[in-house]
Amino acid sequence: MPADREAPPDTETAPSPEPPGAAAVTAGLFLRSSGAAALSQILRVASALGAQLLLRRYVPPEDWGLFQWAMVLFLVLGAVRDLGLAHHVLRVDPRPWGNLLAVEVLWGGLLMAATLVLAPVLALLHRADPGALHPQTLGILRCLALFLFFEGLATVPKVYLEGELRVGRAVAPELWRSLAFVAVACAMAVLGYGVWSLAVGHTASAAVYAGALWWRVRGEIPWTWHSGGTLRLLVGALPLAGIWFLGILIRQVDPLILGRRAPFADVGHYTFAFEWATLASGLILLPAITRVLYPALVRFGQRSREMFRAYALSTLFVLAFEVPAALFLMLNAELVVRLVGGGAWVDAPTYLRILCFVPLVDPFSRLGGEVMKALHRDRLWLAASLSTVVTLVVAGFWAVDRFGPIGMAWVRLLSPGGALLAWGLYRVSPEGFRRFLGDLTFTYLVPVPLFAAAWWLSGGGPVAGHGDPLRFALCAAAGVLSILVAARRFGGDFMAFFRPS
């Protein structure tokens, strides 16, 4: 392992705050890096959604259910692989890239080997009755064990570029990853390989991504090694590991709960709806912003006013798209599902009309945790995340047993942890928080009359139905107008804050 050997610091803290004049530079770096991340994410999602037009027609719902359930397991295993260190290294000065690489290669390799051997045990997390398993379950789990290892290898250069606010350097590797997935998955799906097209496509694309990222940063990463300090670093990272683990469950626990109670076909319909309900936030905007917001918040140091404003403007930017997206999906669920997935997904619109509001019920948790992390207030974030996970799991099992899979969709609208994070954010900047609440109210209310007019002009009537092209078009226009109104209201503040002076 190449290493710049340095003694570990006395305390593991965030890098020293920059001088006040550097705040504008950090804001500018954040804006450029966010733009690169957003562009990359949009291109990747566009290619993935294009592929879905084919994949949803060739891969049956029960195969999608198996794959989505398995992917949640491997997201959890990914958190076990990283042990929080991938996020913690950005809070340590000097940053221990050598230690992170050792953890990803050695511990990640061991975890991959254990997954290959223990796949039959993991399969029991779906159903205790082996006869109820999808026949490809064990093979898919073993294939995704390789995905787990390749993702770990990519973590080091990915986090390095994010920490330096140079996300633009990662755009090309991410596009290569998308192209690899589309080529492999679509070819295999057309040839009739079903769920294997998804698993092999993701595994092959992860390998391409890791290789391209390492080539991109060759010779750049300073291989600082905290001699004898890996265990100490991992102990310091444990709160973040717990938060990351809980965060995955908050976003993805639904397939695990449904998998214990319902066939994979139901899981497939539900996850299809959930994916589209969270498209604006979960697949496009939020990943692009979160990957650069935290490093920017760390650079702001203890300047709470600038830190909170960066958080607030980022949240408002996301919500400006999420609110009209939710209203659009509620009024056009059947037509959206039919256009994207074809005729096999008959149950998905029912879930979609409920799940489309999930991104709106808690505007504080998704990016508020980044503020808590930057300020080392991990306990508050941990408590908030734990309260939401416990609610989703306990209420989820009860609701699915009582009402079937639709019960899980209604439980998804609960997020008690948001109140705790709202209190934590208020303490960071009371004045900024009060202003933020007013801006939130504006963002939520402006699209409502526009979409009400679109519904009325298209003839009104029940929301559920076969899908009305006129309503679809009018709602699209209402969505664009809503975004333009938000841009007029907040665009000046956004550019004034993030443009370097």
Side-chain angles (χ1 to χ4, degrees), residues 11 30 39 47-48 78 92 134 186 245 288 326 370 372 380 412 448 492:
T11 57
F30 174 63
L39 174 62
S47 64
V92 178
H134 190 291
C186 289
F245 176 79
E370 303 301 309
M372 299 300 108
L380 177 63
R412 255 290 157 197
V448 173

Side-chain angles (χ1 to χ4, degrees), residues 36 139 193 202 332 409:
Y193 284 96
H202 276 277
N332 299 278

Side-chain angles (χ1 to χ4, degrees), residues 293 297-298 300-312 371 374-375 428 497:
L293 178 61
L297 295 176
V298 170
F300 280 124
Q302 297 302 312
R303 292 185 292 278
S304 59
R305 182 178 178 182
E306 290 93 343
M307 178 180 287
F308 189 89
R309 195 59 181 153
Y311 155 77
V371 179
L375 293 173
V428 173
F497 182 81

